[in-house]
Amino acid sequence: MNTVLTVKKRDKGRNSSLTQLRQNGAIPGVVYGYQMESTAVSMDARQFAKMLAQFGNKNVFQLDVDGKRINAVLTEVQRCALKGNVKHVDFKSINMSEELEVDIPVTVTGKAIGVADGGFLLQPNREVRIKVNPSNIPETIEVDVTDVAIGTSLYVGDIRQKFSFEILQEDDYTLVTITPPAAENVQEDTVDGTPEVIEATGKNPSASEE
């Protein structure tokens, strides 16, 4: 879904002018890319925040730049380290008939049999980069982990054929892995009857290495 965001051209100024823009409820930004010279712009902070919350940062925005409509995607959102409010944004104008590369979050669905058996689910990589037509950019990529057992993983190679777009990572790019539960310590009696802690692997931790 395209989202119309009204932006205004601005003069590139000093830090003081950017501060004044923000104090007046605006966000400075830049638009560059397809059939577009790098242009300094500003936009209403509340309108941008509302659209970002509603549609996310992977959406195709339709920018109204002083009456000219431009299709664009967000390439960078700078936030204040202390307050978290948006300080500056970069938009890249795009050709809607050409595929582009974009990072998409991975969402896990289902309950892994490894988790049911006591294992722990880890997501070492929470995004994948895809090549897709701008009109078909998904909000997220869902992966079903139901059949992932303890000690096994789910890789890009396992899901690649399930989608119509191209996933750019290699087949061995790990999306999900199920680790075994923490080893439990058990007690065994020694010859003299004194309890001694033995690791679950069966190795005596007090024994010397040979």
Side-chain angles (χ1 to χ4, degrees), residues 53-127:
Q54 184 174 359
F55 300 107
N57 60 0
K58 306 302 181 183
N59 189 54
V60 175
F61 289 79
Q62 192 172 73
L63 304 183
D64 185 331
V65 185
D66 289 345
K68 180 181 179 181
R69 294 292 178 91
I70 298 170
N71 294 306
V73 291
L74 271 171
T75 57
E76 185 176 6
V77 177
Q78 298 178 17
R79 295 182 181 273
C80 174
L82 295 178
K83 297 181 180 180
N85 53 300
V86 178
K87 294 182 60 179
H88 189 278
V89 296
D90 288 359
F91 283 99
K92 180 180 179 180
S93 63
I94 59 173
N95 183 349
M96 293 295 290
S97 64
E98 293 183 359
E99 292 184 327
L100 73 157
E101 296 181 8
V102 60
D103 294 322
I104 301 297
V106 175
T107 301
V108 170
T109 63
K111 183 174 182 179
I113 56 175
V115 172
D117 291 336
F120 298 96
L121 186 148
L122 302 177
Q123 278 187 268
N125 297 293
R126 296 178 177 269
E127 286 188 336

Side-chain angles (χ1 to χ4, degrees), residues 12-205:
K12 293 184 178 180
R14 296 172 298 180
N15 289 337
S16 59
S17 63
L18 296 181
T19 299
Q20 186 175 5
L21 265 177
R22 299 183 183 106
Q23 291 176 343
N24 292 333
I27 300 173
V30 174
V31 182
Y32 65 95
Y34 176 70
Q35 294 185 343
M36 183 78 181
E37 294 184 0
S38 181
T39 303
V41 298
S42 66
M43 66 212 72
D44 183 78
R46 288 178 297 181
Q47 183 189 20
F48 177 77
K50 182 179 179 180
M51 290 185 173
L52 192 63
Q54 184 174 359
F55 300 107
N57 60 0
K58 306 302 181 183
N59 189 54
V60 175
F61 289 79
Q62 192 172 73
L63 304 183
D64 185 331
V65 185
D66 289 345
K68 180 181 179 181
R69 294 292 178 91
I70 298 170
N71 294 306
V73 291
L74 271 171
T75 57
E76 185 176 6
V77 177
Q78 298 178 17
R79 295 182 181 273
C80 174
L82 295 178
K83 297 181 180 180
N85 53 300
V86 178
K87 294 182 60 179
H88 189 278
V89 296
D90 288 359
F91 283 99
K92 180 180 179 180
S93 63
I94 59 173
N95 183 349
M96 293 295 290
S97 64
E98 293 183 359
E99 292 184 327
L100 73 157
E101 296 181 8
V102 60
D103 294 322
I104 301 297
V106 175
T107 301
V108 170
T109 63
K111 183 174 182 179
I113 56 175
V115 172
D117 291 336
F120 298 96
L121 186 148
L122 302 177
Q123 278 187 268
N125 297 293
R126 296 178 177 269
E127 286 188 336
V128 293
R129 176 165 285 260
I130 67 174
K131 191 173 184 179
V132 63
N133 186 280
S135 300
N136 298 322
I137 299 175
E139 294 183 6
T140 184
I141 294 177
E142 294 187 350
V143 295
D144 186 355
V145 300
T146 303
D147 296 328
V148 185
I150 289 177
T152 64
S153 300
L154 187 71
Y155 303 97
V156 161
D158 299 319
I159 68 166
R160 190 183 299 281
Q161 301 304 320
K162 298 180 180 180
F163 301 99
S164 58
F165 46 76
E166 180 183 359
I167 301 178
L168 299 180
Q169 274 86 3
E170 298 293 334
D171 283 348
D172 60 356
Y173 188 77
T174 306
L175 301 175
V176 171
T177 188
I178 307 293
T179 62
E184 298 179 357
N185 290 333
V186 297
Q187 287 188 337
E188 291 185 1
D189 289 340
T190 61
V191 176
D192 61 4
T194 303
E196 185 175 21
V197 175
I198 306 296
E199 292 182 353
T201 56
K203 180 179 178 181
N204 186 340

